[in-house]
Amino acid sequence: MTRQSPSKTDFDPAVARSIIAEHVAEPGGLLAALNALQARFGYVDGELIAPLADAFNLSRAEVHGVISFYHDFRDRPPGRHVVRICQAEACQAMGSRGLTAHAKEVLGLDFGETNAGEGLTLEPVYCLGNCAAAPAVMIGETVHGRVDATRLDMLVAACRKGVRA
Ligand code: FES
């Protein structure tokens, strides 16, 4: 069963600033703040780079570097359905590269891109803890194992129809 990601397009700068303030005094507060911001809004809006830099006494380039380094952080809102294909070793050994190429073709997306019309986003992920059932794909909050091209097509079709797969 696939759950849709909740709508997270309601970016609110004031709420974002309060989230940042909650983490300023924490060790590793920047990562905690980034995680909280992404959990709240679905992405880390570019307008938060400067407030984050000020709050954590870093340069804007350093904050941007952290956001870019971690694959899980997005810099733009995701679609309603985020399709993540595992790129880590066990899944690669079981064909995730070919599955990825197929997904890019059928979705018409590269990693990090969103088809706004269909509400689909394609992202890489690096191990979903489902290595025994590789290759693994996560859609919304649900992990699917042993996904081949046919099964991926079915999962994508379910997303396109707005039904649970
Ligand atoms: S390597 Fe893909 S789930 Fe672990």
Side-chain angles (χ1 to χ4, degrees):
M1 181 167 65
T2 299
R3 283 178 279 160
Q4 290 184 8
S5 297
S7 173
K8 295 176 180 173
T9 56
D10 54 343
F11 177 68
D12 181 329
V15 171
R17 283 185 167 77
S18 74
I19 290 172
I20 293 169
E22 288 171 17
H23 297 283
V24 165
E26 292 176 21
L30 175 60
L31 282 177
L34 291 171
N35 278 310
L37 289 165
Q38 179 144 310
R40 175 65 179 80
F41 301 114
Y43 73 111
V44 180
D45 194 281
E47 92 172 50
L48 297 176
I49 301 281
L52 283 162
D54 292 345
F56 293 99
N57 198 24
L58 298 167
S59 70
R60 294 178 188 197
E62 286 171 318
V63 172
H64 181 73
V66 171
I67 293 169
S68 322
F69 179 78
Y70 291 98
H71 298 283
D72 284 345
F73 293 131
R74 300 185 193 97
D75 61 2
R76 66 198 76 178
R80 289 189 319 280
H81 304 278
V82 179
V83 178
R84 297 184 177 97
I85 302 177
C86 183
Q87 305 295 302
E89 272 185 38
C91 285
Q92 278 196 26
M94 295 302 288
S96 71
R97 284 187 178 162
L99 184 64
T100 297
H102 176 76
K104 288 181 176 181
E105 185 178 331
V106 298
L107 294 173
L109 299 172
D110 204 343
F111 280 146
E113 294 181 343
T114 297
N115 178 327
E118 296 185 316
L120 286 160
T121 297
L122 182 63
E123 294 182 343
V125 67
Y126 296 88
C127 196
L128 291 162
N130 198 39
C131 314
V137 170
M138 186 172 188
I139 301 180
E141 304 296 324
T142 304
V143 176
H144 304 270
R146 297 190 178 91
V147 178
D148 59 13
T150 302
R151 183 136 180 253
L152 184 79
D153 289 349
M154 292 171 59
L155 293 168
V156 167
C159 291
R160 284 175 166 154
K161 290 179 183 171
V163 298
R164 295 179 174 188

